[in-house]
Amino acid sequence: MQRDDTLVLEPSEKWPPLWRGLAVALAAALGFAWLGFTHEAGSDYGVLSLLPAALVITMAVLTRKTVESLLAGALLGLLLIDPTDLVTPLADVTLAVMMDETIAWLILVCGMMGGLINLLARGGGVHSFGNFMTRLIKSPRGAMFGTVGLGLVVFIDDYLNSLAVSSSMKKITDSYQISREKLAYIVDSTAAPICILVPVSTWAVFFASLLEDSGAAEGGRGMSLYIDSIPYMLYGWAALLVVVLVAGNRLPDLGAMKQAEARARAGQPVPTGWEDQEESQPPRSTPAWLGLLNFLLPMGVLVFASVWYEIDLLKGVLVALGCTMLLYSVQRLLSFQQQVEATLDGFKVMLYPLATVCAGFILKEVNDQLGMTQYIIDTVTPLLTPALLPAVVFLVMALVVFSTASSWGVFVISLPIVVPLAQAMNVPMPLVVGALLSASAFGSHACFFSDSTVLSAQGAGCDTMDHALTQLPYALFGGALTLAALLAAGFWLA
């Protein structure tokens, strides 16, 4: 019998996800180019400004690729702005993003956090902490509540939460056959949503100063207004309620999470194709108490130093790295060369998540040039009433943050518009600020390319899109609760 080597594709394989997404991108590119040629230079882009974000979301769902989708959206946005020249605007936007102080801070913080976690793993600190927690935790529910509890303790910054808590707990959750996707969801739910509820956090410091700059609070009163708004930051409370229900098995596995948990119960908590980079075994035998100290002391120094330097995580992680290297050198756990190599290897692991976040910022810059945020606000403003203002502010800004992953930047644009509206309508300012912070936390939590989503997935050890899709039903549930509560509060208080 003659062998037939002809490759026959099944109907579902003729257009694999990546090619389907590229086909969408190509079709959109042609359409954007035509729109760019027919668009009058210098005029308002209007509804066209929404197209790049729509393309990113569509392509991401089809291909399950984040960086590629973000870059496609940015490129097509640039085509819409100027279809005759793509290279120069792309170079200018990329250079502007990479030279931005926030981006430089983010790269250094996340890279060195990855280095610190890898160093703790190489030195056996993560291994010792895992063994200690294993003796305390006796059930899958205990493992999930332990993760929630640790997330509540590490409240100072969502980056620290996303990376440190997930890396610390994945050994325990693996042992109880809890999927990495569920671990990532629990960690992500105690990152940004919890950070907004704590006045001693990077979020509080940033938004308190922003409230003063926008005129919502007098000079020196920004933090006071922020604290008054905490009861109305309803998404933070809703996300906490939902994650507690999930950890207590009071809320069933929904959507893609059901498949991930079925795979974990079958003996595979780690997704197919994923391999952890950290070396979790200690280099040599150390007493249990000393191994635990080698983990807890650097983490304690990290939190204390960050608070000491006015909630600056960059300075905190620098001090923590120095403390860890000194601690390991005194014990001769690792040579100085091995410690440097471990730190650099941890930095390398963070390159893809950082590339995703940087691509998201490039897309944000393009959206800003198109005027997307301003267009959405201007479209909705005429429809507002005092009772509807908090709920509409939450809904609109949540959609903007979800589309741009800019959980902080968009409020520089929106606050000068929303604050005068609230003052003119005599709506209580804490309620409006609570709605804004709820929108920021929801967008950061739900967006598939936001920094906390990407870092939670990386720390837990799963694909970013898998994490985003498994947690989306829970984020939407929390968002629906928040919207309903803000509607009720608006009619009650406004």
Side-chain angles (χ1 to χ4, degrees):
M1 180 182 294
Q2 184 177 2
R3 179 182 173 186
D4 184 5
D5 290 328
T6 305
L7 177 63
V8 180
L9 293 178
E10 295 297 328
S12 61
E13 295 177 310
K14 289 182 179 179
W15 286 89
L18 180 58
W19 290 108
R20 287 202 301 269
L22 291 176
V24 171
L26 178 60
L30 295 174
F32 275 33
W34 179 80
L35 288 170
F37 277 116
T38 58
H39 186 268
E40 183 179 350
S43 63
D44 183 17
Y45 287 92
V47 71
L48 299 181
S49 64
L50 304 178
L51 293 178
L55 174 69
V56 169
I57 295 171
T58 302
M59 187 173 172
V61 171
L62 289 175
T63 65
R64 303 175 77 88
K65 302 292 183 182
T66 50
V67 175
E68 294 88 336
S69 302
L70 293 168
L71 292 178
L75 290 173
L76 294 172
L78 292 173
L79 278 176
L80 181 58
I81 295 170
D82 184 2
T84 63
D85 185 8
L86 179 63
V87 175
T88 300
L90 177 61
D92 291 342
V93 169
T94 304
L95 187 60
V97 167
M98 298 309 297
M99 292 180 65
D100 185 85
E101 183 179 354
T102 300
I103 297 297
W105 183 91
L106 186 150
I107 290 173
L108 288 173
V109 167
C110 294
M112 286 192 286
M113 276 293 298
L116 175 62
I117 291 169
N118 195 51
L119 180 59
L120 292 174
R122 296 277 181 93
V126 174
H127 178 80
S128 298
F129 180 78
N131 288 339
F132 173 75
M133 293 298 292
T134 300
R135 290 195 294 270
L136 296 180
I137 293 172
K138 304 299 182 183
S139 67
R141 184 180 298 181
M144 289 188 285
F145 273 118
T147 305
V148 173
L150 191 59
L152 294 177
V153 171
V154 187
F155 55 77
I156 190 172
D157 185 81
D158 52 336
Y159 293 172
L160 172 61
N161 190 310
S162 297
L163 291 172
V165 175
S166 53
S167 299
S168 304
M169 294 299 296
K170 60 188 177 184
K171 177 183 176 182
I172 295 96
T173 54
D174 284 353
S175 67
Y176 285 105
Q177 297 183 339
I178 297 169
S179 67
R180 293 288 181 86
E181 290 88 344
K182 179 165 279 190
L183 171 63
Y185 158 69
I186 295 173
V187 169
D188 208 351
S189 296
T190 57
I194 298 303
C195 283
I196 66 171
L197 302 177
V198 181
V200 186
S201 69
T202 50
W203 284 66
V205 171
F206 174 78
F207 278 101
S209 63
L210 207 58
L211 291 173
E212 295 177 16
D213 294 340
S214 65
E218 299 177 358
R221 298 286 298 169
M223 184 57 73
S224 177
L225 175 57
Y226 188 95
I227 293 172
D228 291 342
S229 305
I230 290 176
Y232 302 105
M233 296 177 191
L234 296 172
Y235 184 75
W237 300 112
L240 180 59
L241 171 64
V242 173
V243 76
V244 167
L245 291 175
V246 171
N249 294 323
R250 301 298 182 183
L251 195 62
D253 297 326
L254 304 172
M257 187 70 81
K258 186 181 298 184
Q259 301 173 6
E261 284 297 284
R263 185 201 70 226
R265 286 192 295 270
Q268 188 185 345
V270 183
T272 303
W274 187 273
E275 184 177 350
D276 292 330
Q277 300 296 319
E278 303 97 337
E279 294 180 13
S280 58
Q281 294 296 325
R284 61 180 175 81
S285 178
T286 56
W289 67 270
L290 185 57
L292 186 60
L293 178 68
N294 288 339
F295 178 83
L296 294 180
L297 182 60
M299 284 297 178
V301 169
L302 175 60
V303 174
F304 177 80
S306 299
V307 174
W308 178 266
Y309 287 106
E310 300 178 346
I311 320 296
D312 190 334
L313 194 59
L314 176 57
K315 295 175 182 176
V317 73
L318 282 171
V319 174
L321 270 172
C323 171
T324 305
M325 287 186 170
L326 179 62
L327 187 66
Y328 285 5
S329 296
V330 169
Q331 299 176 53
R332 297 183 179 179
L333 284 175
L334 297 170
S335 67
F336 180 72
Q337 180 181 349
Q338 289 173 321
Q339 294 183 58
V340 172
E341 289 175 353
T343 304
L344 292 177
D345 287 343
F347 205 114
K348 292 176 190 175
V349 171
M350 298 304 299
L351 289 180
Y352 185 81
L354 287 172
T356 303
V357 174
C358 289
F361 273 89
I362 291 173
L363 176 66
K364 175 193 172 296
E365 289 295 319
V366 174
N367 284 331
D368 288 346
Q369 292 183 31
L370 292 170
M372 186 192 80
T373 302
Q374 190 69 49
Y375 166 73
I376 293 175
I377 294 174
D378 291 344
T379 302
V380 174
T381 298
L383 308 176
L384 293 176
T385 64
L388 291 176
L389 179 64
V392 173
V393 163
F394 167 74
L395 183 61
V396 171
M397 295 312 301
L399 290 174
V400 170
V401 176
F402 179 84
S403 302
T404 63
S406 179
S407 52
W408 288 11
V410 296
F411 291 97
V412 177
I413 301 172
S414 63
L415 269 176
I417 300 170
V418 173
V419 168
L421 274 174
Q423 292 171 337
M425 293 181 177
N426 201 28
V427 179
M429 194 56 66
L431 178 58
V432 175
V433 173
L436 283 168
L437 266 296
S438 294
S440 185
F442 171 82
S444 176
H445 192 200
C447 178
F448 66 88
F449 56 95
S450 74
D451 42 14
S452 64
T453 298
V454 172
L455 295 177
S456 295
Q458 176 66 34
C462 65
D463 180 74
T464 300
M465 281 302 298
D466 289 341
H467 164 45
L469 294 175
T470 50
Q471 86 167 355
L472 186 59
Y474 304 100
L476 292 176
F477 182 48
L481 292 176
T482 302
L483 184 61
L486 286 171
L487 278 171
F491 281 97
W492 181 262
L493 298 174

